Amino acid sequence: MITFKIGGTHPADSKLSAEVAIEKLPLVEKVAISMAQHLGAPANPIVAKGDKVLVGQVIGEPSAFISGFVHSSVSGTVSAVEPRADIAGNMVMHVVIDVDGDEWMSTIDRSDKLVTEIPQTPEEIIAKIKECGIVGMGGATFPTHVKLSPPPGKTAEFLILNGAECEPYVTADDRIMREKSSEIVIGALIMMKALKVNKCYIGIEENKPAAIAAMKSAAAPYPTVEVVTMKKKYPQGGEKQLIYAVTKRAVPSMGLPIDTGCVVQNVATSLAVYEAVQKNKPLFERVMTVTGKCLDNRKNFVVRLGTPLSAVIAAAGGAPENAAKFISGGPMMGKAVVNLEATTQKGSSCMLMLTAEETLRGKESNCIRCGKCTDACPMGLEPYLLNKLSRAKLYDELEANKIYDCIECGCCLYTCPANIPLLDVIRINKAEVMKIMRSRPKK
């Protein structure tokens, strides 16, 4: 069974919500939609207090090449355009809307009929994807229209759909692969046409047999689309690891997937592309897992963007008394939530609740030079060395040892018997090294 070449680890699956069908989260009374829910420059709000908006209406326009459109997820009245705290406590511009009914733009096809014909040209496809604000929904939120437009001199050979969902607990992608498999495959065909490639691989880990079966059935009529089963191994969903597992091509240091002839998109992104191109539906809602061992009522919700996290949790029965930490995403690469009144975004795949016992870190002790962190690093780095150099602030040496190649997957921290906060230290100093590198005059 295929997998990537070096490193990786095997955290427990904890896919507690895998058998819970997707359901729609009830509308809330007020949403606050961030203008910074994609990689790159935030969108510029184009509505003002008092404006009436419909579901799917543009409320934010791109402010740079790497930016994206933002659409209203509800119908109602704009009550404020103001900075608000996001999940990390950073102040970000939001459009706040008081909800009044659920009136959609008339241009959106709300029928369940599967549309398989793709008459649009590659240029029309990319324009529609941009217009509908589609971004990578696996977590990175890179604008999809940019990713589908390789730079001059670069040519795509393959499209790879990422259905690995290797993070513990998260089941949103698993559920859409089971329930929206045909739409995902058509989305892949749309992106293949945009990229002008004739082969797509859909990589899914072996611990999702129902999703594998559903996707294989949906892909059967299309010989150019192949579902490949991968060994369960974290971080299989990392672009570089997925590309190697599927094609045995290695992305070079400081390189991009397109350097191997591959473009990687998440399966949720493929579903969003289908809805945009075939249904004219902007990205204003997504599937989100609500889970945790301390939670009895685990859910996979379709959530409108801008919904307060507190409302999402309430719809799952509320936070248990022993829930001590809330994480947006999975336990390996997710981010701690410091503000439950922050709202959902395009990259919000999961709300994970952990108890104090589950989050307790062991006392840090001295490195015993066991090499487990090095064995686990999927990028072939030496985390113990990067940690040592980081604490000494030796930035030139950190650059020489390729700290910039760290994908911040957490394998080193997970495997360290000395409980050294390797990821924390490396992440902070990687940012410093990248800052230094960007400050240099371009040759």
Side-chain angles (χ1 to χ4, degrees):
M1 197 172 292
I2 64 173
T3 189
F4 53 95
K5 187 177 181 180
I6 58 174
T9 187
H10 300 271
D13 282 354
S14 300
K15 302 288 189 178
L16 308 175
S17 51
E19 300 308 316
V20 181
I22 298 169
E23 59 183 273
K24 288 186 180 292
L25 187 82
L27 288 176
V28 294
E29 295 181 355
K30 186 189 295 283
V31 299
I33 303 173
S34 171
M35 295 292 104
Q37 52 183 312
H38 47 258
L39 193 69
N44 288 325
I46 60 168
V47 291
K49 183 177 179 179
D51 287 350
K52 298 286 187 179
V53 295
L54 302 177
V55 178
Q57 182 176 328
V58 176
I59 58 173
E61 292 184 338
S63 61
F65 175 68
I66 300 180
S67 187
F69 282 96
V70 178
H71 303 76
S72 177
S73 61
V74 296
S75 60
T77 304
V78 176
S79 57
V81 179
E82 63 186 14
R84 288 195 169 202
D86 63 10
I87 62 168
N90 300 315
M91 298 304 290
V92 176
M93 190 63 68
H94 286 69
V95 172
V96 184
I97 305 169
D98 292 333
V99 180
D100 179 15
D102 190 28
E103 187 178 352
W104 292 38
M105 294 283 288
S106 61
T107 51
I108 301 173
D109 179 0
R110 300 181 66 180
S111 73
D112 292 329
K113 180 183 178 182
L114 184 70
V115 182
T116 58
E117 297 297 319
I118 310 170
Q120 300 90 342
T121 66
E123 294 74 20
E124 289 170 339
I125 289 170
I126 292 172
K128 178 59 68 175
I129 288 171
K130 178 180 181 180
E131 175 189 317
C132 288
I134 310 303
V135 303
M137 296 172 69
T141 63
F142 193 87
T144 302
H145 70 279
V146 178
K147 207 170 185 181
L148 293 177
S149 306
K154 306 289 184 182
T155 304
E157 297 177 56
F158 306 118
L159 172 68
I160 300 177
L161 289 195
N162 183 359
E165 199 167 51
C166 58
E167 274 270 11
Y169 291 98
V170 190
T171 59
D173 287 352
D174 186 358
R175 290 311 311 183
I176 65 167
M177 285 190 287
R178 300 193 205 191
E179 301 183 39
K180 297 288 184 179
S181 51
S182 294
E183 291 88 341
I184 292 170
V185 170
I186 301 302
L189 294 171
I190 291 169
M191 289 188 284
M192 289 169 66
K193 187 170 184 179
L195 289 166
K196 302 175 183 176
V197 301
N198 56 15
K199 187 64 179 180
C200 171
Y201 295 101
I202 305 175
I204 310 173
E205 283 195 329
E206 61 185 321
N207 61 346
K208 303 173 187 65
I212 292 170
M215 292 303 297
K216 283 187 174 181
S217 177
Y222 308 101
T224 57
V225 180
E226 180 180 347
V227 177
V228 292
T229 303
M230 304 184 296
K231 183 178 179 181
K232 184 184 74 173
K233 189 179 180 184
Y234 178 85
Q236 192 98 249
E239 278 192 328
K240 296 177 181 180
Q241 286 67 41
L242 181 62
I243 289 170
Y244 188 87
V246 172
T247 70
K248 296 299 179 283
R249 298 182 181 184
V251 179
S253 176
M254 293 292 285
L256 297 171
I258 193 63
D259 295 325
T260 66
C262 299
V263 172
V264 179
Q265 299 284 4
N266 184 264
V267 289
T269 309
S270 189
L271 173 59
V273 164
Y274 166 82
E275 293 179 335
V277 176
Q278 306 295 71
K279 300 288 186 174
N280 201 36
K281 179 185 174 185
L283 179 52
F284 57 75
E285 62 183 4
R286 64 155 299 145
V287 177
M288 180 179 181
T289 300
V290 185
T291 186
K293 292 179 181 177
C294 60
L295 184 68
D296 294 328
N297 195 28
R298 299 149 192 148
K299 295 288 187 178
N300 292 295
F301 284 127
V302 175
V303 181
R304 301 285 180 98
L305 304 182
T307 301
L309 295 175
S310 59
V312 178
I313 295 169
E321 290 185 5
N322 59 342
K325 190 169 187 177
F326 300 84
I327 295 176
S328 178
M332 299 296 286
M333 295 186 74
K335 306 297 184 185
V337 178
V338 300
N339 172 28
L340 288 178
E341 291 311 307
T343 58
T344 57
Q345 300 185 5
K346 295 178 181 181
S348 300
S349 62
C350 181
M351 172 54 59
L352 171 62
M353 289 169 251
L354 300 174
T355 65
E357 291 76 19
E358 289 173 309
T359 61
L360 184 65
R361 285 194 179 187
K363 185 178 180 181
E364 181 180 353
S365 58
N366 292 329
C367 174
I368 60 173
R369 299 191 177 99
C370 65
K372 286 187 177 181
C373 62
T374 299
D375 291 341
C377 180
M379 295 304 298
L381 304 176
E382 297 176 289
Y384 74 90
L385 176 59
L386 297 178
N387 172 66
K388 184 177 179 180
L389 296 174
S390 292
R391 291 178 187 247
K393 305 298 181 186
L394 297 173
Y395 297 128
D396 289 343
E397 287 84 347
L398 284 168
E399 182 179 350
N401 282 277
K402 300 183 178 180
I403 192 173
Y404 46 76
D405 278 342
C406 172
I407 61 172
E408 302 180 23
C409 64
C411 286
C412 56
L413 174 60
Y414 182 80
T415 57
C416 179
N419 299 308
I420 299 171
L422 295 165
L423 175 60
D424 310 61
V425 175
I426 291 171
R427 176 185 282 144
I428 291 169
N429 287 276
K430 171 190 168 184
E432 287 298 316
V433 171
M434 296 297 290
K435 182 178 178 181
I436 292 168
M437 292 172 67
R438 287 192 295 267
S439 69
R440 292 175 185 150
K442 293 183 179 181
K443 295 181 180 180

